[in-house]
Amino acid sequence: MISIDRPTADLGDVRVTNRAAVLRHVRRHAPCSRADVAAHTGLNKATVSSLVAELIEHGLLRETGLTENRVGRPATMLVLDGSRYVGLGLRVGADELVAVAAGPGGDPVLTWRRAFPAATAGPEETVKALAALVRRAVTRIGADRTVLGLTVAVPGLVDPDGDVPAAPALGWRGVPLAASVRRALRDPGFPVAVDTEANLAVLAERRHGPYAATTDLVHLTGGPAIGAGLISGGRLLRGGRGFAGDVGHLPLAADGPACDCGRRGCLTALLGVDAVIRRLLPDAGPVTDHLPEIERIRALARAGDEPVRTGLTEMGRLLGQAVSVLSGLLDPEVVVVGGHLAALAPWLLPAAHAELAARTPVPPGVRLEASTLGSAAGALGGATAAMATVEAGRLPAG
Ligand SMILES: [Zn+2]
């Protein structure tokens, strides 16, 4: 059967693709002129002018009034317009909720952290707390800006429907999280999605971190579960069921500490935040808020405490070992560690680098660095992901 709608649809698709190309160029090179956009995207000047006019009208680009100092007519410069739309990202940690609202350029409009024991509260209470936080954030963002979407970051496995089949760090199994958050928000007027913390954190790195230009990048999450967000050749690797990067049970030490999965010496059992605190602060007891304990470890390390320094060096070696496995699989340019691994990086990374160097067949090998995005990385990535439809060239409704 021949569809007569087809040619129109194709033209529409071309315009969407071109709009995305213009937005992408301005995001990377702002401030830039219409002529720059045309020169770099290969679109003709008339098309660029028409697309830019439309993007300005819809509040996605604005003119800065700056002019480029060069021969010929001065040009009006373009930048992303961060004043009308935001994406919302929420990160569920074992002991905290982090909310970030950010505009198209990643400029955070708000960043909130709230101590919340998601691991003991259970999914129902967590969804209630999430919904309350979203409602407060939407109120704070105000009527002048429109929320384009919400993406929730979870330390566990997430399937394409936004269900969480397993998040051992939270003690969750089979939680229909996206549907529950949607229901709790009672038709919020924007799409709600769920993704793994690792995927969203690596997205934040790729977009806003110091390695944004890197096309082969891994973010290893700190926190109660260690997961890997994998970008290879500029694309996020999700795997067949969406579970790629679930590296928390990589076996590193056959005689290591017991893991929740029933085996011993897994990456999470050795380097997850609970394992690190248990090992370095034997007096800490059960911990409900990790942040102050990690601060204590940092203070002890800074003061030269011998057992803490030795422990961190051993953990650094294990980290190097884990990263060498990732490196062998994916050959990334940079591996960035987040969460408590970033907070403890000054003491972990020297040993990790030495271990990596010893295991690198062809130097210089992968670079291993600490994330600079802090505990908000997953939430910032969520806010970025929530703007994906617009970034892909679709105009916001209304
Ligand atoms: Zn395990």
Side-chain angles (χ1 to χ4, degrees):
M1 203 170 79
I2 298 164
S3 162
I4 53 163
D5 292 338
R6 194 68 203 177
T8 323
D10 278 350
L11 285 179
D13 288 349
V14 169
R15 199 159 173 88
V16 167
T17 309
N18 291 347
R19 238 184 251 134
V22 172
L23 282 172
R24 194 164 49 241
H25 184 81
V26 177
R27 190 172 67 234
R28 289 184 186 157
H29 303 286
C32 57
S33 68
R34 287 166 175 80
D36 294 335
V37 176
H40 289 94
T41 56
L43 299 168
N44 70 49
K45 285 185 185 172
T47 305
V48 170
S49 283
S50 151
L51 291 166
V52 165
E54 190 181 40
L55 291 166
I56 289 175
E57 188 196 327
H58 283 85
L60 293 167
L61 291 183
R62 66 183 172 85
E63 294 178 330
T64 60
L66 288 172
T67 54
E68 215 176 22
N69 189 12
R70 62 176 181 189
V71 183
R73 213 150 52 97
T76 309
M77 305 303 267
L78 299 165
V79 292
L80 293 176
D81 185 352
S83 66
R84 272 184 43 191
Y85 299 104
V86 292
L88 203 50
L90 249 91
R91 169 177 168 266
V92 183
D95 60 347
E96 65 177 5
L97 302 176
V98 180
V100 170
D107 36 312
V109 175
L110 67 83
T111 305
W112 287 342
R113 176 185 183 265
R114 179 188 161 191
F116 181 83
T120 48
E124 248 173 71
E125 288 304 311
T126 304
V127 166
K128 274 189 208 160
L130 278 175
L133 201 56
V134 170
R135 278 192 287 267
R136 270 182 54 203
V138 170
T139 307
R140 172 66 68 87
I141 289 160
D144 302 345
R145 293 173 196 260
T146 305
V147 177
L148 288 179
L150 162 70
T151 307
V152 182
V154 182
L157 301 178
V158 178
D159 74 14
D161 295 328
D163 293 348
V164 179
L170 304 176
W172 292 6
R173 284 201 89 79
V175 177
L177 188 60
S180 305
V181 173
R182 258 180 235 127
R183 205 176 312 121
L185 288 171
R186 292 190 197 92
D187 188 22
F190 49 78
V192 175
V194 177
D195 207 336
T196 70
E197 182 185 356
N199 285 347
L200 293 171
V202 81
L203 183 64
E205 300 286 356
R206 169 95 168 111
R207 184 59 64 77
H208 311 295
Y211 312 103
T214 313
T215 54
D216 294 88
L217 180 66
V218 171
H219 177 109
L220 211 52
T221 61
I226 295 186
L230 315 168
I231 287 182
S232 183
R235 299 175 71 98
L236 185 68
L237 297 185
R238 291 187 176 276
R241 292 173 301 162
F243 302 162
D246 185 32
V247 296
H249 301 283
L250 199 70
L252 292 178
D255 56 348
C259 182
D260 291 343
C261 71
R263 288 176 291 266
R264 307 192 77 87
C266 301
L267 176 56
T268 290
L270 288 159
L271 294 181
V273 70
D274 294 299
V276 169
I277 292 171
R278 230 181 353 255
R279 158 108 198 248
L280 300 179
L281 300 174
D283 62 329
V287 173
T288 49
D289 190 359
H290 297 116
L291 219 55
E293 307 303 328
I294 294 298
E295 271 315 309
R296 264 177 73 198
I297 294 173
R298 281 167 58 90
L300 286 166
R302 238 181 268 126
D305 182 276
E306 207 40 53
V308 164
R309 289 264 188 138
T310 308
L312 286 168
T313 302
E314 280 169 28
M315 290 175 181
R317 265 186 229 124
L318 292 163
L319 179 62
Q321 201 182 320
V323 171
S324 81
V325 174
L326 286 172
S327 178
L329 281 169
L330 289 165
D331 188 24
E333 209 177 311
V334 184
V335 173
V336 186
V337 295
H340 69 288
L341 298 176
L344 299 173
W347 303 279
L348 288 173
L349 292 196
H353 288 150
E355 184 70 26
L356 256 180
R359 290 170 181 265
T360 298
V362 183
V366 65
R367 283 170 65 193
L368 173 62
E369 307 282 350
S371 174
T372 55
L373 299 177
S375 73
L380 177 61
T384 306
M387 314 260 326
T389 328
V390 165
E391 290 186 347
R394 306 269 166 206
L395 293 171

PDB file of all heavy atoms in Angstrom, residues 248-251 257-269, ligand 1:
ATOM      1  N   GLY A 248      28.793  -4.429  39.205  1.00  0.00           N
ATOM      2  CA  GLY A 248      28.972  -4.494  40.659  1.00  0.00           C
ATOM      3  C   GLY A 248      29.417  -5.854  41.177  1.00  0.00           C
ATOM      4  O   GLY A 248      29.989  -5.953  42.265  1.00  0.00           O
ATOM      5  N   HIS A 249      29.159  -6.914  40.405  1.00  0.00           N
ATOM      6  CA  HIS A 249      29.527  -8.249  40.880  1.00  0.00           C
ATOM      7  C   HIS A 249      30.694  -8.853  40.103  1.00  0.00           C
ATOM      8  O   HIS A 249      30.878 -10.078  40.067  1.00  0.00           O
ATOM      9  CB  HIS A 249      28.287  -9.158  40.890  1.00  0.00           C
ATOM     10  CG  HIS A 249      27.229  -8.583  41.769  1.00  0.00           C
ATOM     11  ND1 HIS A 249      27.282  -8.656  43.138  1.00  0.00           N
ATOM     12  CD2 HIS A 249      26.157  -7.815  41.473  1.00  0.00           C
ATOM     13  CE1 HIS A 249      26.261  -7.992  43.654  1.00  0.00           C
ATOM     14  NE2 HIS A 249      25.566  -7.457  42.666  1.00  0.00           N
ATOM     15  N   LEU A 250      31.476  -7.959  39.540  1.00  0.00           N
ATOM     16  CA  LEU A 250      32.746  -8.365  38.940  1.00  0.00           C
ATOM     17  C   LEU A 250      33.584  -8.997  40.054  1.00  0.00           C
ATOM     18  O   LEU A 250      33.822  -8.379  41.081  1.00  0.00           O
ATOM     19  CB  LEU A 250      33.435  -7.086  38.443  1.00  0.00           C
ATOM     20  CG  LEU A 250      34.537  -7.189  37.404  1.00  0.00           C
ATOM     21  CD1 LEU A 250      33.930  -7.601  36.067  1.00  0.00           C
ATOM     22  CD2 LEU A 250      35.198  -5.824  37.254  1.00  0.00           C
ATOM     23  N   PRO A 251      34.016 -10.275  39.878  1.00  0.00           N
ATOM     24  CA  PRO A 251      34.777 -10.915  40.958  1.00  0.00           C
ATOM     25  C   PRO A 251      36.227 -10.423  40.982  1.00  0.00           C
ATOM     26  O   PRO A 251      36.925 -10.526  39.983  1.00  0.00           O
ATOM     27  CB  PRO A 251      34.690 -12.405  40.616  1.00  0.00           C
ATOM     28  CG  PRO A 251      34.396 -12.461  39.158  1.00  0.00           C
ATOM     29  CD  PRO A 251      33.806 -11.145  38.723  1.00  0.00           C
ATOM     30  N   PRO A 257      35.357 -10.063  51.095  1.00  0.00           N
ATOM     31  CA  PRO A 257      34.177 -10.045  51.953  1.00  0.00           C
ATOM     32  C   PRO A 257      32.926 -10.559  51.230  1.00  0.00           C
ATOM     33  O   PRO A 257      32.848 -10.510  50.011  1.00  0.00           O
ATOM     34  CB  PRO A 257      34.020  -8.555  52.300  1.00  0.00           C
ATOM     35  CG  PRO A 257      34.859  -7.812  51.317  1.00  0.00           C
ATOM     36  CD  PRO A 257      35.910  -8.731  50.825  1.00  0.00           C
ATOM     37  N   ALA A 258      31.970 -11.071  52.009  1.00  0.00           N
ATOM     38  CA  ALA A 258      30.735 -11.626  51.447  1.00  0.00           C
ATOM     39  C   ALA A 258      29.934 -10.510  50.784  1.00  0.00           C
ATOM     40  O   ALA A 258      29.901  -9.385  51.253  1.00  0.00           O
ATOM     41  CB  ALA A 258      29.915 -12.278  52.547  1.00  0.00           C
ATOM     42  N   CYS A 259      29.276 -10.868  49.673  1.00  0.00           N
ATOM     43  CA  CYS A 259      28.471  -9.902  48.920  1.00  0.00           C
ATOM     44  C   CYS A 259      26.992 -10.279  49.064  1.00  0.00           C
ATOM     45  O   CYS A 259      26.668 -11.432  49.340  1.00  0.00           O
ATOM     46  CB  CYS A 259      28.896  -9.958  47.451  1.00  0.00           C
ATOM     47  SG  CYS A 259      28.029  -8.781  46.403  1.00  0.00           S
ATOM     48  N   ASP A 260      26.117  -9.300  48.858  1.00  0.00           N
ATOM     49  CA  ASP A 260      24.665  -9.546  48.908  1.00  0.00           C
ATOM     50  C   ASP A 260      24.233 -10.640  47.947  1.00  0.00           C
ATOM     51  O   ASP A 260      23.200 -11.280  48.141  1.00  0.00           O
ATOM     52  CB  ASP A 260      23.898  -8.266  48.513  1.00  0.00           C
ATOM     53  CG  ASP A 260      24.051  -7.197  49.570  1.00  0.00           C
ATOM     54  OD1 ASP A 260      24.441  -7.550  50.700  1.00  0.00           O
ATOM     55  OD2 ASP A 260      23.787  -6.011  49.256  1.00  0.00           O
ATOM     56  N   CYS A 261      25.014 -10.836  46.872  1.00  0.00           N
ATOM     57  CA  CYS A 261      24.621 -11.796  45.843  1.00  0.00           C
ATOM     58  C   CYS A 261      24.924 -13.232  46.270  1.00  0.00           C
ATOM     59  O   CYS A 261      24.584 -14.167  45.552  1.00  0.00           O
ATOM     60  CB  CYS A 261      25.329 -11.468  44.532  1.00  0.00           C
ATOM     61  SG  CYS A 261      27.094 -11.825  44.564  1.00  0.00           S
ATOM     62  N   GLY A 262      25.583 -13.388  47.427  1.00  0.00           N
ATOM     63  CA  GLY A 262      25.870 -14.738  47.912  1.00  0.00           C
ATOM     64  C   GLY A 262      27.292 -15.189  47.620  1.00  0.00           C
ATOM     65  O   GLY A 262      27.739 -16.215  48.120  1.00  0.00           O
ATOM     66  N   ARG A 263      28.015 -14.454  46.768  1.00  0.00           N
ATOM     67  CA  ARG A 263      29.406 -14.813  46.491  1.00  0.00           C
ATOM     68  C   ARG A 263      30.339 -13.928  47.307  1.00  0.00           C
ATOM     69  O   ARG A 263      29.882 -13.157  48.151  1.00  0.00           O
ATOM     70  CB  ARG A 263      29.680 -14.689  44.984  1.00  0.00           C
ATOM     71  CG  ARG A 263      29.009 -15.796  44.178  1.00  0.00           C
ATOM     72  CD  ARG A 263      29.205 -15.604  42.685  1.00  0.00           C
ATOM     73  NE  ARG A 263      28.478 -14.452  42.201  1.00  0.00           N
ATOM     74  CZ  ARG A 263      27.238 -14.522  41.689  1.00  0.00           C
ATOM     75  NH1 ARG A 263      26.634 -15.683  41.579  1.00  0.00           N
ATOM     76  NH2 ARG A 263      26.626 -13.439  41.278  1.00  0.00           N
ATOM     77  N   ARG A 264      31.619 -14.038  47.071  1.00  0.00           N
ATOM     78  CA  ARG A 264      32.595 -13.244  47.825  1.00  0.00           C
ATOM     79  C   ARG A 264      33.433 -12.389  46.897  1.00  0.00           C
ATOM     80  O   ARG A 264      33.693 -12.757  45.757  1.00  0.00           O
ATOM     81  CB  ARG A 264      33.531 -14.149  48.631  1.00  0.00           C
ATOM     82  CG  ARG A 264      32.869 -15.158  49.528  1.00  0.00           C
ATOM     83  CD  ARG A 264      33.872 -15.794  50.485  1.00  0.00           C
ATOM     84  NE  ARG A 264      34.200 -14.899  51.593  1.00  0.00           N
ATOM     85  CZ  ARG A 264      33.495 -14.827  52.720  1.00  0.00           C
ATOM     86  NH1 ARG A 264      32.421 -15.580  52.893  1.00  0.00           N
ATOM     87  NH2 ARG A 264      33.867 -14.000  53.674  1.00  0.00           N
ATOM     88  N   GLY A 265      33.881 -11.253  47.435  1.00  0.00           N
ATOM     89  CA  GLY A 265      34.895 -10.454  46.756  1.00  0.00           C
ATOM     90  C   GLY A 265      34.442  -9.745  45.492  1.00  0.00           C
ATOM     91  O   GLY A 265      35.258  -9.429  44.635  1.00  0.00           O
ATOM     92  N   CYS A 266      33.112  -9.470  45.382  1.00  0.00           N
ATOM     93  CA  CYS A 266      32.636  -8.704  44.223  1.00  0.00           C
ATOM     94  C   CYS A 266      33.073  -7.243  44.365  1.00  0.00           C
ATOM     95  O   CYS A 266      33.349  -6.762  45.461  1.00  0.00           O
ATOM     96  CB  CYS A 266      31.118  -8.722  44.135  1.00  0.00           C
ATOM     97  SG  CYS A 266      30.411 -10.358  44.005  1.00  0.00           S
ATOM     98  N   LEU A 267      33.094  -6.542  43.240  1.00  0.00           N
ATOM     99  CA  LEU A 267      33.467  -5.126  43.214  1.00  0.00           C
ATOM    100  C   LEU A 267      32.677  -4.315  44.256  1.00  0.00           C
ATOM    101  O   LEU A 267      33.266  -3.547  45.031  1.00  0.00           O
ATOM    102  CB  LEU A 267      33.221  -4.577  41.793  1.00  0.00           C
ATOM    103  CG  LEU A 267      33.450  -3.087  41.540  1.00  0.00           C
ATOM    104  CD1 LEU A 267      34.856  -2.671  41.926  1.00  0.00           C
ATOM    105  CD2 LEU A 267      33.209  -2.751  40.058  1.00  0.00           C
ATOM    106  N   THR A 268      31.362  -4.481  44.297  1.00  0.00           N
ATOM    107  CA  THR A 268      30.552  -3.729  45.255  1.00  0.00           C
ATOM    108  C   THR A 268      30.866  -4.119  46.700  1.00  0.00           C
ATOM    109  O   THR A 268      30.894  -3.272  47.590  1.00  0.00           O
ATOM    110  CB  THR A 268      29.042  -3.928  44.950  1.00  0.00           C
ATOM    111  OG1 THR A 268      28.752  -3.244  43.728  1.00  0.00           O
ATOM    112  CG2 THR A 268      28.160  -3.360  46.038  1.00  0.00           C
ATOM    113  N   ALA A 269      31.127  -5.421  46.934  1.00  0.00           N
ATOM    114  CA  ALA A 269      31.441  -5.878  48.293  1.00  0.00           C
ATOM    115  C   ALA A 269      32.785  -5.346  48.775  1.00  0.00           C
ATOM    116  O   ALA A 269      33.048  -5.276  49.970  1.00  0.00           O
ATOM    117  CB  ALA A 269      31.427  -7.403  48.340  1.00  0.00           C
TER     118      ALA A 269
HETATM  119 ZN    ZN B   1      28.178  -9.861  44.375  1.00  0.00          ZN
END
